């Protein structure tokens, strides 16, 4: 292998930088899913393009606080034993929750309403804020709404994304008049 001098290396770097400044490419066409099928974003209507521009992409690699190599816990979470909304306050006091939502989320209001009916300590986190987005990334939350339940030891026991999943965890009791 031939040894190069510092001057030769710097000359190669200068040549490469000059070549990079003279690169001319073509426009890249972006395809994304819209109403069930993929279509070029440039052909979308103004409303859908604005919505696309506001999307926030989550990735595990970009999150420095979320360690995907930690395999101490199984990937599949199991729901806690069926609970009733009418359970005693002492049973529910040991369980807490975090509710991740967005202002523009159409599925968040029913989940918020369901959670407000529970007598359980918890908090709501807005992922539209910088802090909320960082916390969502840290916990591996990829969609809103997401409700994470924790037991008395602070260990995650369940994740729900809609009222149907919440009802599966909290078996609703029908009241007949």
């Amino acid at each position: 292998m031939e040894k190069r001098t510092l001057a030769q290396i710097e000359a190669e770097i200068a040549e490469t930088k000059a070549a990079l400044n003279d690169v001319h490419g073509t426009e890249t066409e972006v395809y994304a899913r819209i109403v069930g099928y993929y279509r070029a974003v440039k052909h979308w209507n103004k409303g859908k393009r604005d919505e696309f521009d506001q999307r926030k992409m989550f990735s595990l690699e970009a999150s420095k606080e979320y360690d995907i190599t930690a395999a101490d816990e199984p990937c599949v979470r199991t729901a806690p034993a069926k609970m009733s909304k009418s359970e005693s306050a002492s049973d529910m006091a040991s369980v807490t929750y975090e509710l991740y939502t967005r202002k523009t989320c159409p599925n968040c209001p029913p989940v918020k309403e369901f959670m407000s009916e529970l007598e359980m300590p918890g908090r709501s986190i807005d992922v539209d804020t910088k802090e909320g987005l960082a916390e969502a990334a840290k916990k591996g939350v990829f969609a809103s709404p997401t409700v994470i339940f924790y037991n008395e030891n602070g260990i995650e026991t369940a994740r729900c994304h809609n009222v149907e999943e919440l009802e599966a965890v909290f078996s609703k009791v029908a009241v007949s008049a």
Side-chain angles (χ1 to χ4, degrees), residues 79-84 149 158 160 164-171:
K82 295 266 184 193
M83 295 182 267
S84 168
F149 293 97
C160 299
E164 291 78 21
E165 291 176 2
L166 288 165
E167 287 173 343
V169 173
F170 296 92
S171 57

Side-chain angles (χ1 to χ4, degrees), residues 141-155:
V141 173
F142 300 110
S144 66
T146 297
V147 183
I148 304 176
F149 293 97
Y150 300 96
N151 66 12
E152 63 275 357
N153 298 324
I155 297 172

